[in-house]
Amino acid sequence: DNYTDLYPLLKEFNCKANIFIVAGFVQTPDNLGPRAEGEFMLVEEAKELCSERVQYGLHTMYHQSYHHMTLDEIDEDMGQSKQRLDSLGIPYQPCFAYPFAAYMKDDPVKQKALFGILKKHGVRYAFKVGDRLNKMPMNKMNRLLLNRLHMNGAYSMFKFKMDLIGFIRIVQRFERILK
């Protein structure tokens, strides 16, 4: 949980983080209670996090895969996501994380249209799960296809450190061999 687990760590170690927030999962008085997907932050908690330690990026309205959506549905989802965060007073950066790595890599025409939708909504940077670091300098990279490290609660500190220095692929190979 970003509020109960991550936030105290960020304060303790004086760190900041970027979280890609699913706008429809932020809980408000009219949108409370347990969900099949799990518990999520209250709007007050989300605002407290971003007032000190966190910058938010966009991560869709309800975490649906863009692979299963039409371009019009993607455009509507992006607009709804931004509108909800704006209405809740939750600031966000002009960046986006593709849900389920759905950046249309197998359909260049749809991918180009997707990039157009992102740009229309002011997105300057978009991240895919790549589990590798981006090569430097980044000025020659497509800023709508940046890699991001996929972190979750099952990561050990060793695995986290390996991820940060770019050796996660080696760790993953060893994990597969040892299974």
Side-chain angles (χ1 to χ4, degrees):
D1 181 281
N2 288 323
Y3 187 77
T4 59
D5 296 335
L6 176 65
Y7 189 38
L9 291 171
L10 294 175
K11 288 194 291 190
E12 179 181 344
F13 294 103
N14 194 28
C15 294
K16 295 190 177 196
N18 186 349
I19 297 172
F20 293 100
I21 191 167
V22 178
F25 289 175
V26 177
Q27 294 193 19
T28 58
D30 63 325
N31 179 24
L32 286 173
R35 301 170 180 252
E37 304 91 356
E39 295 291 328
F40 298 97
M41 284 188 293
L42 298 169
V43 67
E44 295 82 16
E45 294 170 338
K47 287 179 179 180
E48 183 180 345
L49 273 172
C50 70
S51 71
E52 288 184 44
R53 303 273 172 196
V54 170
Q55 290 185 334
Y56 292 113
L58 302 167
H59 197 41
T60 74
M61 184 64 179
Y62 292 109
H63 205 254
Q64 295 177 314
S65 174
Y66 280 4
H67 280 305
H68 307 296
M69 298 170 75
T70 66
L71 292 169
D72 287 340
E73 291 169 334
I74 292 169
D75 186 33
E76 183 179 343
D77 180 82
M78 182 66 63
Q80 287 178 344
S81 178
K82 290 178 65 177
Q83 182 180 14
R84 176 154 171 83
L85 293 175
D86 289 340
S87 71
L88 295 175
I90 298 173
Y92 52 89
Q93 299 300 311
C95 59
F96 175 76
Y98 297 102
F100 307 103
Y103 57 94
M104 315 307 170
K105 68 179 176 183
D106 296 328
D107 187 343
V109 173
K110 191 171 182 181
Q111 184 182 68
K112 184 175 181 181
L114 173 62
F115 292 168
I117 291 168
L118 295 176
K119 289 175 184 174
K120 170 186 164 187
H121 288 282
V123 172
R124 294 178 54 206
Y125 305 95
F127 297 83
K128 62 188 179 81
V129 175
D131 283 336
R132 61 177 61 105
L133 299 177
N134 294 296
K135 291 186 168 113
M136 296 296 186
M138 291 177 52
N139 59 350
K140 294 182 181 171
M141 294 185 67
N142 182 338
R143 292 177 188 239
L144 298 177
L145 284 176
L146 299 172
N147 292 314
R148 70 180 170 108
L149 305 175
H150 181 258
M151 302 289 162
N152 63 47
Y155 260 52
S156 67
M157 186 53 75
F158 171 75
K159 193 171 180 179
F160 177 71
K161 287 178 182 177
M162 291 296 103
D163 219 347
L164 289 179
I165 61 173
F167 290 114
I168 193 59
R169 295 276 187 199
I170 295 168
V171 172
Q172 290 171 338
R173 283 188 195 126
F174 280 123
E175 286 176 341
R176 283 193 298 271
I177 291 168
L178 296 174
K179 281 186 182 181

